[in-house]
Amino acid sequence: MMKTLPLLLTLGWFGLYSRTFGDLWQRWIRWDSEMAHGLPVMLIFVYLLWRDCTKTAWNEKPFGKGVALVALAACSLMWFLAALINIQIVEQVLLIPILVSALASLYGWPAIWRRRFLLLFPIFAIPVWGSLNEGLLSLASLVVGESVRLMAMPALIQGNSIYLPYGHILIADGCSGIRYFVIALTLGYLIAYLNGYKEWRMLPMLLVAGFLGLLTNWVRIFVLIVIGHYTEMESSLMEDHELFGWLIFAAFILPAVYFAPHASSSPSAEPALSAQSVPKARLAIMTLLAVAGPLLIIIYGGHFNRIDRPAPITGTPPANQPRMPMMVRAPAGALTEINSLGNTGVIRTDHYWRGSLEDKLVPYLPRLFDHERWQQVTQTSVNIDSTGVSQAVYAEKGGGRRVLQLQWFEVGGQRTSSRTWAKILQIPATLGGRNDFSIVTLQAECRRVSCAEQAEELQRHAQARIAAVTRSDQAHSKSR
Protein backbone atom coordinates (compact mmCIF):
# COMPACT_ATOMS: atom_id res chain seq x y z
CA MET A 1 0.00 0.00 0.00
CA MET A 2 2.86 2.41 0.81
CA LYS A 3 4.16 1.98 -2.72
CA THR A 4 0.87 3.15 -4.23
CA LEU A 5 0.19 5.84 -1.61
CA PRO A 6 0.87 8.72 -4.08
CA LEU A 7 -1.76 7.23 -6.40
CA LEU A 8 -4.24 6.82 -3.53
CA LEU A 9 -3.64 10.44 -2.47
CA THR A 10 -4.29 11.55 -6.06
CA LEU A 11 -7.59 9.69 -6.13
CA GLY A 12 -8.45 11.36 -2.82
CA TRP A 13 -7.54 14.68 -4.45
CA PHE A 14 -10.23 14.05 -7.08
CA GLY A 15 -12.77 13.24 -4.35
CA LEU A 16 -11.99 16.10 -1.96
CA TYR A 17 -12.12 18.72 -4.68
CA SER A 18 -15.03 17.16 -6.55
CA ARG A 19 -16.75 20.56 -6.60
CA THR A 20 -14.04 21.92 -8.88
CA PHE A 21 -13.60 18.72 -10.86
CA GLY A 22 -17.36 18.70 -11.42
CA ASP A 23 -17.11 22.09 -13.12
CA LEU A 24 -14.19 20.82 -15.19
CA TRP A 25 -16.17 17.71 -16.15
CA GLN A 26 -18.84 19.90 -17.73
CA ARG A 27 -16.13 21.45 -19.91
CA TRP A 28 -14.46 18.15 -20.75
CA ILE A 29 -17.60 16.41 -22.05
CA ARG A 30 -18.44 19.19 -24.52
CA TRP A 31 -17.01 18.18 -27.88
CA ASP A 32 -17.07 21.74 -29.19
CA SER A 33 -15.12 23.04 -26.18
CA GLU A 34 -11.41 23.85 -26.32
CA MET A 35 -11.07 21.52 -23.30
CA ALA A 36 -12.68 18.42 -24.87
CA HIS A 37 -9.33 16.65 -24.48
CA GLY A 38 -9.32 17.23 -20.70
CA LEU A 39 -10.75 13.84 -19.73
CA PRO A 40 -8.19 11.82 -21.73
CA VAL A 41 -5.44 13.99 -20.23
CA MET A 42 -6.55 13.15 -16.70
CA LEU A 43 -6.90 9.44 -17.47
CA ILE A 44 -3.40 9.39 -18.96
CA PHE A 45 -2.10 11.25 -15.91
CA VAL A 46 -3.55 8.66 -13.52
CA TYR A 47 -2.08 5.83 -15.59
CA LEU A 48 1.38 7.44 -15.74
CA LEU A 49 1.31 8.05 -12.00
CA TRP A 50 0.36 4.42 -11.39
CA ARG A 51 3.19 3.31 -13.67
CA ASP A 52 5.63 5.54 -11.81
CA CYS A 53 4.52 4.13 -8.45
CA THR A 54 5.04 0.54 -9.63
CA LYS A 55 8.46 1.16 -11.18
CA THR A 56 10.09 3.56 -8.71
CA ALA A 57 9.82 4.22 -5.00
CA TRP A 58 8.76 7.58 -3.57
CA ASN A 59 11.41 7.41 -0.83
CA GLU A 60 11.44 10.10 1.80
CA LYS A 61 13.92 12.96 1.65
CA PRO A 62 14.26 15.40 4.55
CA PHE A 63 14.31 18.58 2.48
CA GLY A 64 11.44 21.11 2.55
CA LYS A 65 8.58 19.16 4.13
CA GLY A 66 7.71 21.98 6.54
CA VAL A 67 7.61 24.47 3.67
CA ALA A 68 5.35 22.08 1.77
CA LEU A 69 2.89 21.93 4.68
CA VAL A 70 2.76 25.74 4.79
CA ALA A 71 2.22 25.84 1.01
CA LEU A 72 -0.55 23.24 1.29
CA ALA A 73 -2.29 25.23 4.02
CA ALA A 74 -2.07 28.43 1.96
CA CYS A 75 -3.35 26.73 -1.23
CA SER A 76 -6.21 25.05 0.63
CA LEU A 77 -7.27 28.37 2.16
CA MET A 78 -7.04 30.18 -1.18
CA TRP A 79 -9.12 27.44 -2.79
CA PHE A 80 -11.76 27.95 -0.06
CA LEU A 81 -11.90 31.70 -0.76
CA ALA A 82 -12.09 31.14 -4.53
CA ALA A 83 -14.86 28.56 -4.09
CA LEU A 84 -16.70 30.84 -1.67
CA ILE A 85 -16.64 33.72 -4.13
CA ASN A 86 -17.18 31.37 -7.10
CA ILE A 87 -14.07 32.23 -9.12
CA GLN A 88 -13.78 28.94 -10.95
CA ILE A 89 -10.54 29.55 -12.81
CA VAL A 90 -8.71 30.24 -9.52
CA GLU A 91 -10.17 27.06 -8.01
CA GLN A 92 -8.99 25.08 -11.02
CA VAL A 93 -5.49 26.53 -11.18
CA LEU A 94 -4.95 25.79 -7.47
CA LEU A 95 -5.61 22.07 -7.96
CA ILE A 96 -2.06 21.31 -9.12
CA PRO A 97 -0.26 23.25 -6.32
CA ILE A 98 -2.49 21.49 -3.78
CA LEU A 99 -1.53 18.04 -5.07
CA VAL A 100 2.15 18.92 -5.45
CA SER A 101 2.47 20.45 -1.96
CA ALA A 102 0.58 17.51 -0.41
CA LEU A 103 2.98 15.00 -1.98
CA ALA A 104 6.01 17.17 -1.13
CA SER A 105 4.95 17.30 2.53
CA LEU A 106 5.27 13.49 2.65
CA TYR A 107 8.19 12.78 0.33
CA GLY A 108 10.14 16.03 0.11
CA TRP A 109 10.82 18.34 -2.80
CA PRO A 110 13.56 16.19 -4.41
CA ALA A 111 10.97 13.48 -5.14
CA ILE A 112 8.67 16.12 -6.61
CA TRP A 113 11.43 17.61 -8.73
CA ARG A 114 12.26 14.23 -10.25
CA ARG A 115 8.58 13.90 -11.26
CA ARG A 116 7.97 17.57 -12.13
CA PHE A 117 6.95 16.88 -15.73
CA LEU A 118 4.51 14.17 -14.68
CA LEU A 119 2.88 16.31 -11.97
CA LEU A 120 2.54 19.30 -14.32
CA PHE A 121 0.81 17.27 -17.04
CA PRO A 122 -2.76 18.05 -15.73
CA ILE A 123 -2.24 21.72 -16.66
CA PHE A 124 -3.38 20.75 -20.18
CA ALA A 125 -6.78 19.76 -18.73
CA ILE A 126 -7.34 23.10 -16.97
CA PRO A 127 -8.88 25.96 -19.01
CA VAL A 128 -6.09 28.50 -18.52
CA TRP A 129 -5.54 28.50 -22.27
CA GLY A 130 -8.69 30.45 -23.14
CA SER A 131 -6.88 33.74 -22.47
CA LEU A 132 -4.83 33.07 -25.62
CA ASN A 133 -7.91 32.88 -27.84
CA GLU A 134 -8.09 36.53 -28.85
CA GLY A 135 -4.37 36.76 -29.60
CA LEU A 136 -4.43 33.55 -31.65
CA LEU A 137 -7.48 34.84 -33.55
CA SER A 138 -5.65 38.05 -34.46
CA LEU A 139 -2.60 36.03 -35.52
CA ALA A 140 -4.72 33.70 -37.68
CA SER A 141 -6.45 36.68 -39.31
CA LEU A 142 -3.07 38.27 -40.08
CA VAL A 143 -1.43 35.13 -41.49
CA VAL A 144 -4.44 34.07 -43.57
CA GLY A 145 -5.05 37.61 -44.80
CA GLU A 146 -1.45 37.94 -46.00
CA SER A 147 -1.67 34.51 -47.66
CA VAL A 148 -4.77 35.59 -49.59
CA ARG A 149 -2.95 38.75 -50.72
CA LEU A 150 0.05 36.72 -51.90
CA MET A 151 -2.30 34.53 -53.95
CA ALA A 152 -3.61 37.70 -55.65
CA MET A 153 -7.12 36.48 -54.97
CA PRO A 154 -9.85 39.10 -55.56
CA ALA A 155 -10.72 39.80 -51.95
CA LEU A 156 -11.21 42.70 -49.57
CA ILE A 157 -9.51 41.97 -46.23
CA GLN A 158 -10.55 43.90 -43.14
CA GLY A 159 -9.29 42.41 -39.90
CA ASN A 160 -10.93 39.02 -39.41
CA SER A 161 -13.33 39.54 -42.35
CA ILE A 162 -12.53 38.46 -45.90
CA TYR A 163 -14.96 39.64 -48.59
CA LEU A 164 -14.95 37.51 -51.74
CA PRO A 165 -16.94 38.25 -54.92
CA TYR A 166 -19.42 35.55 -53.88
CA GLY A 167 -19.72 36.14 -50.14
CA HIS A 168 -18.22 37.04 -46.80
CA ILE A 169 -15.94 34.73 -44.78
CA LEU A 170 -15.57 35.62 -41.12
CA ILE A 171 -12.66 34.24 -39.10
CA ALA A 172 -14.76 33.84 -35.96
CA ASP A 173 -13.71 33.17 -32.36
CA GLY A 174 -13.95 29.42 -32.94
CA CYS A 175 -11.39 29.75 -35.74
CA SER A 176 -8.56 30.92 -33.49
CA GLY A 177 -7.04 27.43 -33.51
CA ILE A 178 -6.88 27.20 -29.73
CA ARG A 179 -8.01 23.55 -29.74
CA TYR A 180 -5.40 22.44 -32.28
CA PHE A 181 -2.77 24.46 -30.43
CA VAL A 182 -3.44 23.03 -26.97
CA ILE A 183 -3.86 19.43 -28.16
CA ALA A 184 -0.62 19.68 -30.16
CA LEU A 185 1.16 21.01 -27.07
CA THR A 186 -0.30 18.16 -25.01
CA LEU A 187 0.96 15.55 -27.46
CA GLY A 188 4.39 17.18 -27.64
CA TYR A 189 4.64 17.33 -23.86
CA LEU A 190 3.56 13.70 -23.51
CA ILE A 191 6.12 12.50 -26.09
CA ALA A 192 8.85 14.51 -24.37
CA TYR A 193 7.94 13.05 -20.97
CA LEU A 194 7.80 9.45 -22.20
CA ASN A 195 11.24 9.88 -23.76
CA GLY A 196 12.74 11.36 -20.62
CA TYR A 197 13.51 14.78 -22.10
CA LYS A 198 14.90 17.48 -19.86
CA GLU A 199 13.97 21.15 -20.20
CA TRP A 200 16.52 21.89 -22.91
CA ARG A 201 15.01 19.23 -25.18
CA MET A 202 11.38 19.65 -24.12
CA LEU A 203 11.21 23.35 -25.02
CA PRO A 204 12.03 22.84 -28.74
CA MET A 205 9.55 19.95 -28.81
CA LEU A 206 6.79 22.22 -27.43
CA LEU A 207 7.70 25.02 -29.86
CA VAL A 208 7.45 22.66 -32.84
CA ALA A 209 4.21 21.11 -31.55
CA GLY A 210 2.61 24.51 -30.92
CA PHE A 211 3.65 25.75 -34.36
CA LEU A 212 2.18 22.67 -36.05
CA GLY A 213 -1.10 23.20 -34.18
CA LEU A 214 -1.28 26.81 -35.37
CA LEU A 215 -0.19 25.88 -38.89
CA THR A 216 -3.02 23.35 -39.05
CA ASN A 217 -5.54 26.10 -38.36
CA TRP A 218 -4.01 28.57 -40.82
CA VAL A 219 -3.98 26.00 -43.61
CA ARG A 220 -7.55 24.97 -42.77
CA ILE A 221 -8.87 28.54 -43.04
CA PHE A 222 -6.87 29.32 -46.18
CA VAL A 223 -8.06 26.15 -47.95
CA LEU A 224 -11.66 26.95 -47.01
CA ILE A 225 -11.28 30.42 -48.50
CA VAL A 226 -9.88 28.97 -51.74
CA ILE A 227 -12.70 26.41 -51.87
CA GLY A 228 -15.26 29.13 -51.21
CA HIS A 229 -13.84 31.28 -53.99
CA TYR A 230 -13.73 28.56 -56.66
CA THR A 231 -17.11 27.04 -55.74
CA GLU A 232 -18.80 30.43 -55.39
CA MET A 233 -19.45 29.63 -51.70
CA GLU A 234 -21.58 26.63 -52.66
CA SER A 235 -19.39 23.90 -51.13
CA SER A 236 -20.82 22.08 -48.11
CA LEU A 237 -17.51 22.74 -46.34
CA MET A 238 -18.57 26.37 -45.97
CA GLU A 239 -21.14 25.28 -43.40
CA ASP A 240 -19.63 22.17 -41.80
CA HIS A 241 -15.84 21.93 -41.67
CA GLU A 242 -15.27 20.34 -38.24
CA LEU A 243 -14.11 16.95 -39.59
CA PHE A 244 -12.14 18.69 -42.34
CA GLY A 245 -10.09 20.54 -39.71
CA TRP A 246 -9.28 17.39 -37.76
CA LEU A 247 -8.20 15.57 -40.92
CA ILE A 248 -5.72 18.37 -41.65
CA PHE A 249 -4.58 18.25 -38.00
CA ALA A 250 -3.93 14.50 -38.32
CA ALA A 251 -2.04 15.05 -41.59
CA PHE A 252 0.38 17.41 -39.82
CA ILE A 253 0.61 15.81 -36.38
CA LEU A 254 0.80 12.06 -37.09
CA PRO A 255 3.98 12.27 -39.20
CA ALA A 256 5.52 14.57 -36.58
CA VAL A 257 4.71 12.05 -33.84
CA TYR A 258 6.16 9.20 -35.92
CA PHE A 259 9.41 11.02 -36.72
CA ALA A 260 9.85 12.59 -33.26
CA PRO A 261 13.27 11.68 -31.80
CA HIS A 262 13.08 8.87 -29.26
CA ALA A 263 15.34 8.46 -26.27
CA SER A 264 16.57 5.03 -25.31
CA SER A 265 16.07 5.48 -21.57
CA SER A 266 12.82 5.72 -19.64
CA PRO A 267 11.87 9.03 -18.00
CA SER A 268 12.74 7.83 -14.56
CA ALA A 269 16.15 6.20 -14.11
CA GLU A 270 15.77 5.91 -10.35
CA PRO A 271 16.29 2.36 -9.08
CA ALA A 272 13.21 0.51 -7.89
CA LEU A 273 13.91 0.63 -4.17
CA SER A 274 11.49 -0.64 -1.59
CA ALA A 275 8.98 1.96 -0.45
CA GLN A 276 9.49 3.47 2.98
CA SER A 277 6.61 4.06 5.33
CA VAL A 278 5.38 7.62 5.86
CA PRO A 279 5.11 8.76 9.49
CA LYS A 280 1.45 8.63 10.49
CA ALA A 281 1.61 12.00 12.26
CA ARG A 282 2.79 13.78 9.11
CA LEU A 283 0.22 11.95 7.02
CA ALA A 284 -2.51 13.06 9.44
CA ILE A 285 -1.36 16.71 9.35
CA MET A 286 -1.22 16.67 5.55
CA THR A 287 -4.70 15.15 5.36
CA LEU A 288 -6.10 17.73 7.78
CA LEU A 289 -4.69 20.63 5.75
CA ALA A 290 -5.89 19.17 2.45
CA VAL A 291 -9.38 18.63 3.86
CA ALA A 292 -9.52 22.13 5.40
CA GLY A 293 -10.63 23.96 2.23
CA PRO A 294 -13.45 21.58 1.23
CA LEU A 295 -14.57 21.33 4.89
CA LEU A 296 -14.72 25.11 5.27
CA ILE A 297 -16.81 25.49 2.12
CA ILE A 298 -19.28 22.95 3.51
CA ILE A 299 -19.49 24.77 6.87
CA TYR A 300 -19.55 28.39 5.70
CA GLY A 301 -20.66 28.16 2.07
CA GLY A 302 -24.36 28.07 2.88
CA HIS A 303 -24.08 31.00 5.29
CA PHE A 304 -22.28 33.27 2.84
CA ASN A 305 -24.55 32.27 -0.02
CA ARG A 306 -27.43 34.10 1.63
CA ILE A 307 -27.54 37.68 0.41
CA ASP A 308 -30.22 39.45 2.39
CA ARG A 309 -29.93 42.95 0.94
CA PRO A 310 -32.49 43.61 -1.80
CA ALA A 311 -31.17 44.23 -5.25
CA PRO A 312 -31.09 47.97 -6.05
CA ILE A 313 -31.69 47.25 -9.72
CA THR A 314 -35.39 46.93 -10.43
CA GLY A 315 -37.85 47.69 -13.14
CA THR A 316 -37.38 47.76 -16.87
CA PRO A 317 -35.24 50.09 -18.95
CA PRO A 318 -37.04 53.22 -20.14
CA ALA A 319 -38.47 53.24 -23.64
CA ASN A 320 -37.07 55.27 -26.52
CA GLN A 321 -33.51 55.23 -25.26
CA PRO A 322 -30.87 56.80 -27.55
CA ARG A 323 -29.17 54.50 -30.04
CA MET A 324 -25.52 53.62 -29.63
CA PRO A 325 -23.26 54.50 -32.60
CA MET A 326 -21.92 50.93 -32.31
CA MET A 327 -23.77 48.03 -30.68
CA VAL A 328 -22.39 46.78 -27.34
CA ARG A 329 -22.61 43.01 -26.88
CA ALA A 330 -23.00 42.87 -23.12
CA PRO A 331 -23.72 39.57 -21.33
CA ALA A 332 -27.38 38.72 -20.79
CA GLY A 333 -29.18 39.55 -17.56
CA ALA A 334 -28.39 43.25 -17.30
CA LEU A 335 -30.56 46.28 -16.76
CA THR A 336 -29.32 48.64 -19.46
CA GLU A 337 -29.51 52.43 -19.22
CA ILE A 338 -28.58 54.56 -22.23
CA ASN A 339 -28.41 58.34 -21.92
CA SER A 340 -27.47 61.04 -24.36
CA LEU A 341 -24.44 63.25 -23.73
CA GLY A 342 -25.91 66.15 -25.66
CA ASN A 343 -24.31 66.54 -29.06
CA THR A 344 -21.20 64.69 -27.91
CA GLY A 345 -22.23 61.07 -27.78
CA VAL A 346 -23.96 58.42 -25.67
CA ILE A 347 -23.27 56.73 -22.33
CA ARG A 348 -24.50 53.21 -21.66
CA THR A 349 -24.44 51.40 -18.31
CA ASP A 350 -25.18 47.68 -18.02
CA HIS A 351 -26.04 46.89 -14.37
CA TYR A 352 -25.78 43.38 -12.91
CA TRP A 353 -26.79 42.16 -9.47
CA ARG A 354 -26.53 38.68 -8.03
CA GLY A 355 -28.86 37.28 -5.41
CA SER A 356 -26.61 34.38 -4.35
CA LEU A 357 -22.92 33.60 -4.29
CA GLU A 358 -23.74 30.61 -6.45
CA ASP A 359 -24.10 33.20 -9.21
CA LYS A 360 -21.08 34.91 -10.71
CA LEU A 361 -20.60 38.54 -9.71
CA VAL A 362 -18.63 39.23 -12.89
CA PRO A 363 -20.21 37.28 -15.77
CA TYR A 364 -18.25 35.81 -18.63
CA LEU A 365 -17.05 38.76 -20.69
CA PRO A 366 -16.67 37.89 -24.37
CA ARG A 367 -15.70 40.41 -27.02
CA LEU A 368 -18.06 43.30 -26.25
CA PHE A 369 -18.48 44.57 -29.81
CA ASP A 370 -19.83 43.10 -33.03
CA HIS A 371 -16.62 42.00 -34.76
CA GLU A 372 -18.57 40.93 -37.84
CA ARG A 373 -19.39 44.58 -38.59
CA TRP A 374 -16.64 46.48 -36.79
CA GLN A 375 -12.86 46.34 -36.64
CA GLN A 376 -10.78 47.68 -33.76
CA VAL A 377 -8.27 50.13 -35.22
CA THR A 378 -6.52 51.40 -32.07
CA GLN A 379 -6.71 50.61 -28.38
CA THR A 380 -5.00 52.27 -25.45
CA SER A 381 -5.51 52.89 -21.74
CA VAL A 382 -6.05 56.38 -20.36
CA ASN A 383 -6.03 57.42 -16.71
CA ILE A 384 -9.07 59.35 -15.53
CA ASP A 385 -9.21 60.20 -11.81
CA SER A 386 -6.90 57.27 -10.97
CA THR A 387 -9.08 54.93 -13.02
CA GLY A 388 -7.71 52.99 -15.96
CA VAL A 389 -10.14 53.43 -18.86
CA SER A 390 -9.95 51.58 -22.17
CA GLN A 391 -10.04 53.98 -25.13
CA ALA A 392 -10.48 52.44 -28.58
CA VAL A 393 -11.35 53.49 -32.12
CA TYR A 394 -13.48 51.19 -34.28
CA ALA A 395 -13.97 51.31 -38.06
CA GLU A 396 -17.05 49.93 -39.78
CA LYS A 397 -16.18 47.16 -42.21
CA GLY A 398 -17.18 48.06 -45.73
CA GLY A 399 -18.13 51.58 -44.62
CA GLY A 400 -16.58 54.89 -43.68
CA ARG A 401 -17.86 55.33 -40.11
CA ARG A 402 -15.47 55.46 -37.17
CA VAL A 403 -16.51 55.34 -33.52
CA LEU A 404 -14.52 56.31 -30.43
CA GLN A 405 -15.31 54.30 -27.30
CA LEU A 406 -14.35 54.62 -23.62
CA GLN A 407 -15.15 51.60 -21.47
CA TRP A 408 -14.49 50.29 -17.96
CA PHE A 409 -15.92 47.88 -15.39
CA GLU A 410 -17.23 48.70 -11.91
CA VAL A 411 -17.01 45.85 -9.39
CA GLY A 412 -18.43 46.63 -5.97
CA GLY A 413 -17.31 50.25 -6.08
CA GLN A 414 -13.89 49.53 -7.64
CA ARG A 415 -13.10 50.37 -11.27
CA THR A 416 -10.82 48.79 -13.86
CA SER A 417 -10.60 48.36 -17.63
CA SER A 418 -9.01 44.91 -17.31
CA ARG A 419 -11.18 41.80 -17.45
CA THR A 420 -8.62 39.93 -15.35
CA TRP A 421 -8.65 42.56 -12.63
CA ALA A 422 -12.43 42.64 -12.74
CA LYS A 423 -12.39 38.96 -11.80
CA ILE A 424 -9.88 39.59 -8.99
CA LEU A 425 -11.92 42.51 -7.63
CA GLN A 426 -14.73 40.05 -6.92
CA ILE A 427 -12.81 39.02 -3.78
CA PRO A 428 -12.82 42.39 -1.93
CA ALA A 429 -16.30 43.14 -3.28
CA THR A 430 -17.76 39.91 -1.88
CA LEU A 431 -15.95 40.19 1.45
CA GLY A 432 -17.25 43.76 1.70
CA GLY A 433 -20.84 42.69 1.03
CA ARG A 434 -21.01 44.31 -2.42
CA ASN A 435 -22.78 42.29 -5.11
CA ASP A 436 -23.10 44.83 -7.93
CA PHE A 437 -21.24 44.91 -11.22
CA SER A 438 -21.53 47.33 -14.13
CA ILE A 439 -20.12 47.82 -17.61
CA VAL A 440 -19.84 51.52 -18.46
CA THR A 441 -19.48 52.48 -22.13
CA LEU A 442 -19.21 55.95 -23.68
CA GLN A 443 -19.32 56.29 -27.48
CA ALA A 444 -19.18 59.07 -30.02
CA GLU A 445 -19.02 59.01 -33.81
CA CYS A 446 -15.79 60.56 -35.04
CA ARG A 447 -16.07 63.69 -37.14
CA ARG A 448 -12.42 63.47 -38.26
CA VAL A 449 -10.05 60.57 -38.78
CA SER A 450 -8.06 61.30 -35.60
CA CYS A 451 -11.12 61.34 -33.27
CA ALA A 452 -9.13 63.68 -31.00
CA GLU A 453 -12.03 66.07 -30.42
CA GLN A 454 -14.39 63.26 -29.41
CA ALA A 455 -11.72 61.75 -27.14
CA GLU A 456 -11.39 64.99 -25.18
CA GLU A 457 -15.15 65.39 -24.82
CA LEU A 458 -15.82 61.79 -23.76
CA GLN A 459 -12.96 61.87 -21.25
CA ARG A 460 -14.56 64.94 -19.66
CA HIS A 461 -17.92 63.15 -19.38
CA ALA A 462 -16.19 60.03 -18.02
CA GLN A 463 -14.48 62.09 -15.34
CA ALA A 464 -17.80 63.61 -14.28
CA ARG A 465 -19.45 60.19 -14.16
CA ILE A 466 -16.63 58.65 -12.08
CA ALA A 467 -16.70 61.56 -9.63
CA ALA A 468 -20.48 61.28 -9.21
CA VAL A 469 -20.34 57.52 -8.56
CA THR A 470 -17.45 57.99 -6.10
CA ARG A 471 -19.47 60.52 -4.09
CA SER A 472 -22.46 58.18 -4.08
CA ASP A 473 -20.34 55.26 -2.83
CA GLN A 474 -18.81 57.41 -0.09
CA ALA A 475 -22.24 58.55 1.07
CA HIS A 476 -23.48 54.94 1.05
CA SER A 477 -20.49 53.80 3.12
CA LYS A 478 -21.12 56.48 5.76
CA SER A 479 -24.78 55.54 6.05
CA ARG A 480 -24.05 51.86 6.75
Side-chain angles (χ1 to χ4, degrees):
M1 177 178 176
M2 297 309 301
K3 196 168 185 179
T4 58
L5 181 59
L7 179 61
L8 295 176
L9 292 176
T10 301
L11 297 178
W13 172 64
F14 286 113
L16 279 177
Y17 297 91
S18 59
R19 168 194 173 107
T20 305
F21 280 110
D23 294 330
L24 286 171
W25 173 267
Q26 297 301 320
R27 300 284 297 272
W28 295 341
I29 61 176
R30 286 169 44 203
W31 171 250
D32 60 342
S33 167
E34 74 275 9
M35 298 309 301
H37 64 284
L39 185 57
V41 166
M42 280 301 183
L43 292 175
I44 293 171
F45 170 67
V46 171
Y47 166 74
L48 293 176
L49 184 60
W50 169 80
R51 192 184 73 159
D52 182 86
C53 290
T54 57
K55 289 189 175 182
T56 63
W58 288 59
N59 292 301
E60 287 189 83
K61 303 293 181 182
F63 178 73
K65 293 179 181 177
V67 174
L69 287 173
V70 173
L72 177 59
C75 290
S76 184
L77 179 60
M78 286 190 290
W79 180 91
F80 161 68
L81 292 175
L84 186 69
I85 300 169
N86 198 18
I87 308 180
Q88 291 181 355
I89 186 61
V90 177
E91 294 180 52
Q92 295 161 358
V93 168
L94 285 171
L95 289 173
I96 295 178
I98 287 172
L99 178 63
V100 168
S101 55
L103 293 172
S105 69
L106 299 180
Y107 300 103
W109 291 107
I112 300 301
W113 178 253
R114 283 194 301 273
R115 297 166 176 86
R116 60 194 180 277
F117 295 128
L118 170 59
L119 295 175
L120 285 174
F121 186 58
I123 192 64
F124 295 104
I126 296 176
V128 295
W129 307 95
S131 59
L132 301 176
N133 192 76
E134 197 162 331
L136 293 181
L137 178 63
S138 299
L139 181 60
S141 301
L142 176 64
V143 171
V144 174
E146 290 303 316
S147 300
V148 171
R149 287 192 181 96
L150 288 175
M151 287 287 292
M153 193 177 297
L156 172 64
I157 302 169
Q158 291 187 318
N160 62 331
S161 290
I162 298 178
Y163 296 91
L164 301 174
Y166 306 104
H168 171 212
I169 293 179
L170 176 71
I171 305 176
D173 289 345
C175 298
S176 67
I178 185 71
R179 286 191 291 173
Y180 305 126
F181 178 69
V182 178
I183 293 176
L185 284 180
T186 304
L187 292 173
Y189 190 95
L190 182 60
I191 292 171
Y193 167 76
L194 293 175
N195 285 281
Y197 289 2
K198 301 301 181 184
E199 286 82 357
W200 65 275
R201 293 189 69 184
M202 179 172 281
L203 182 59
M205 172 70 81
L206 293 179
L207 290 175
V208 171
F211 174 73
L212 288 177
L214 296 178
L215 183 61
T216 294
N217 187 55
W218 301 339
V219 170
R220 178 184 71 95
I221 299 173
F222 178 76
V223 171
L224 287 173
I225 292 172
V226 173
I227 292 174
H229 174 65
Y230 286 105
T231 65
E232 301 183 4
M233 303 296 286
E234 294 296 327
S235 172
S236 60
L237 287 175
M238 296 295 99
E239 297 295 332
D240 184 7
H241 42 257
E242 184 77 21
L243 178 61
F244 176 71
W246 288 115
L247 291 175
I248 295 179
F249 180 78
F252 278 104
I253 293 298
L254 292 182
V257 171
Y258 180 79
F259 290 107
H262 297 279
S264 57
S265 61
S266 62
S268 181
E270 186 182 355
L273 303 175
S274 59
Q276 298 178 0
S277 62
V278 174
K280 293 182 179 180
R282 191 183 304 124
L283 180 60
I285 294 173
M286 184 279 296
T287 303
L288 181 63
L289 293 177
V291 170
L295 187 61
L296 286 172
I297 201 66
I298 292 173
I299 296 173
Y300 294 104
H303 171 74
F304 280 95
N305 278 347
R306 293 192 297 269
I307 297 177
D308 298 325
R309 287 193 299 147
I313 301 171
T314 57
T316 57
N320 301 321
Q321 295 188 103
R323 292 188 62 183
M324 301 290 292
M326 180 182 73
M327 183 178 68
V328 176
R329 286 189 165 179
L335 176 68
T336 301
E337 298 179 14
I338 304 178
N339 297 295
S340 174
L341 299 174
N343 295 325
T344 304
V346 177
I347 179 170
R348 166 177 170 151
T349 307
D350 294 282
H351 301 280
Y352 298 83
W353 178 269
R354 64 175 177 183
S356 167
L357 290 183
E358 291 296 324
D359 304 324
K360 291 183 178 296
L361 176 55
V362 178
Y364 171 66
L365 298 172
R367 187 181 286 104
L368 297 175
F369 68 96
D370 183 2
H371 68 298
E372 295 187 26
R373 289 189 56 196
W374 296 87
Q375 177 184 358
Q376 188 179 81
V377 179
T378 63
Q379 196 278 328
T380 186
S381 180
V382 295
N383 190 283
I384 300 177
D385 277 358
S386 301
T387 297
V389 175
S390 172
Q391 178 174 299
V393 175
Y394 297 89
E396 187 178 23
K397 296 177 180 179
R401 297 172 59 208
R402 295 167 69 89
V403 171
L404 178 77
Q405 174 178 281
L406 300 185
Q407 191 173 70
W408 68 90
F409 309 116
E410 296 179 346
V411 188
Q414 302 294 319
R415 287 174 290 275
T416 180
S417 60
S418 166
R419 302 181 192 188
T420 302
W421 273 108
K423 294 288 186 181
I424 295 174
L425 288 174
Q426 292 179 104
I427 299 175
T430 301
L431 296 178
R434 296 289 298 269
N435 293 284
D436 52 297
F437 169 72
S438 299
I439 303 173
V440 183
T441 307
L442 288 80
Q443 289 182 357
E445 195 155 346
C446 300
R447 302 187 187 95
R448 296 189 177 92
V449 175
S450 67
C451 302
E453 181 181 347
Q454 285 68 42
E456 183 178 348
E457 293 175 350
L458 287 189
Q459 288 178 20
R460 187 175 67 253
H461 285 292
Q463 185 176 23
R465 203 279 184 181
I466 291 172
V469 171
T470 301
R471 288 193 298 269
S472 175
D473 286 341
Q474 290 173 346
H476 178 72
S477 297
K478 291 179 181 180
S479 65
R480 294 180 62 184

